[in-house]
Amino acid sequence: MQQVVTPVLVEGLNVRRGGRLVIEDATLEASTGVTALLGPNGAGKTSLLGAITGQFAVDSGQISWQGQRVDGRRSTAFLATLGWLPQTLTFPRRMRVREVLDYAVWLKRTEPKARQSAVQEALLAGDLEDLWDRRVGELSGGEQRRVGLAAATVCDPQVVLLDEPTVGLDPLQREAFHRRIRSAADGRVIILATHLLEDVAATASQVTVIHHGRVLFVGAVNDFCDDEDITVDGLRGALGRLLTGPTAT
């Protein structure tokens, strides 16, 4: 029987920032669909995503993709198929939406003759046709997040990392963004870092809980909630039991 290779696997990872151990012996795996990286503010979610992207150096442990070890910024094959939406968007305010997407396509080293069609596909997939000529500085927070997700998913990346993508959105904007995340997850690995239980309930099939830099749980959302209904209340109860139990100390 042919072995199924886990698309993204983190094993025994240790990461230091500013001389402090911020990720300690972390192990997780993420397959196709949405894996929620859940934890309070300061739990280590951004540091873990930064290690996967090569932004932060790894002290020990390893990250693998499709069975091959990923070695930071030198893993060009992995980075070429990676989409990334940071928590803080830094698009120049005077850039137009089409220019943001064109730049994102260019970063993927797309052939010049294919760039225009790739930008058009991103506009359609992100439902951004009405915003294509607007400047980033003129957009609402929700519209900017839509542009950010479209930029993160140009050229069909197989792995997409989203760092707190719904922070600052109102309930209707968050609901719309959840729909886009679920749609973008088709055939992709999406790791969604969040401290908002609404994000997990609305999008995720897998969950990894991190606290004080240590991974406390990896598994299906159903298992995390003990097969109860996957609701915000159910997730809150499961998270509370985990963070106050013996494994949290």
Side-chain angles (χ1 to χ4, degrees):
M1 180 180 298
Q2 186 178 7
Q3 182 179 5
V4 177
V5 178
T6 301
V8 177
L9 178 63
V10 175
E11 299 176 284
L13 204 68
N14 290 281
V15 178
R16 292 183 183 274
R17 295 180 63 186
R20 184 171 64 91
L21 190 64
V22 294
I23 299 295
E24 182 180 357
D25 195 29
T27 294
L28 66 92
E29 57 184 63
S31 53
T32 303
V34 178
T35 295
L37 182 59
L38 177 63
N41 287 327
K45 301 185 297 295
T46 294
S47 295
L48 184 53
L49 293 186
I52 294 174
T53 63
Q55 180 181 359
F56 303 135
V58 172
D59 281 26
S60 59
Q62 72 176 42
I63 303 164
S64 303
W65 170 65
Q66 298 287 42
Q68 301 296 316
R69 183 165 181 165
V70 174
D71 188 15
R73 294 184 180 276
R74 287 174 290 182
S75 300
T76 54
F78 176 63
L79 294 178
T81 191
L82 180 69
W84 168 231
L85 176 59
Q87 182 176 352
T88 302
L89 299 175
T90 56
F91 303 135
R93 292 178 58 82
R94 292 190 60 80
M95 281 187 77
R96 300 184 188 277
V97 170
R98 55 180 168 77
E99 294 171 333
V100 169
L101 297 180
D102 184 62
Y103 179 64
V105 170
W106 176 80
L107 286 175
K108 294 296 184 183
R109 300 181 180 180
T110 306
E111 292 291 333
K113 61 183 179 182
R115 277 172 56 181
Q116 183 175 354
S117 61
V119 170
Q120 187 61 33
E121 288 175 8
L123 287 168
L124 289 172
D127 193 21
L128 296 170
E129 299 152 285
D130 57 331
L131 303 178
W132 76 283
D133 205 36
R134 296 271 301 278
R135 298 187 189 277
V136 170
E138 300 172 347
L139 304 180
S140 69
E143 289 169 338
Q144 288 189 24
R145 289 289 171 182
R146 286 166 54 193
V147 175
L149 182 61
T153 54
V154 296
C155 303
D156 198 26
Q158 296 179 38
V159 180
V160 178
L161 307 181
L162 308 174
D163 192 1
E164 302 282 9
T166 67
V167 168
L169 302 186
D170 65 37
L172 291 179
Q173 291 173 330
R174 185 173 293 121
E175 183 179 344
F177 202 80
H178 287 160
R179 289 196 296 270
R180 298 188 187 284
I181 291 173
R182 291 194 298 267
S183 176
D186 186 22
R188 294 188 176 101
V189 176
I190 290 185
I191 301 179
L192 165 66
T194 186
H195 67 277
L196 300 174
L197 298 173
E198 295 92 336
D199 290 348
V200 183
T203 66
S205 57
Q206 302 287 320
V207 63
T208 293
V209 178
I210 186 170
H211 188 44
H212 296 315
R214 298 171 56 207
V215 172
L216 304 183
F217 178 89
V218 176
V221 178
N222 285 334
D223 293 336
F224 182 61
C225 292
D226 291 330
D227 291 323
E228 296 178 8
D229 290 337
I230 301 173
T231 63
V232 171
D233 287 341
L235 289 164
R236 183 178 294 112
L239 183 62
R241 291 189 294 272
L242 183 64
L243 295 186
T244 58
T247 58
T249 59

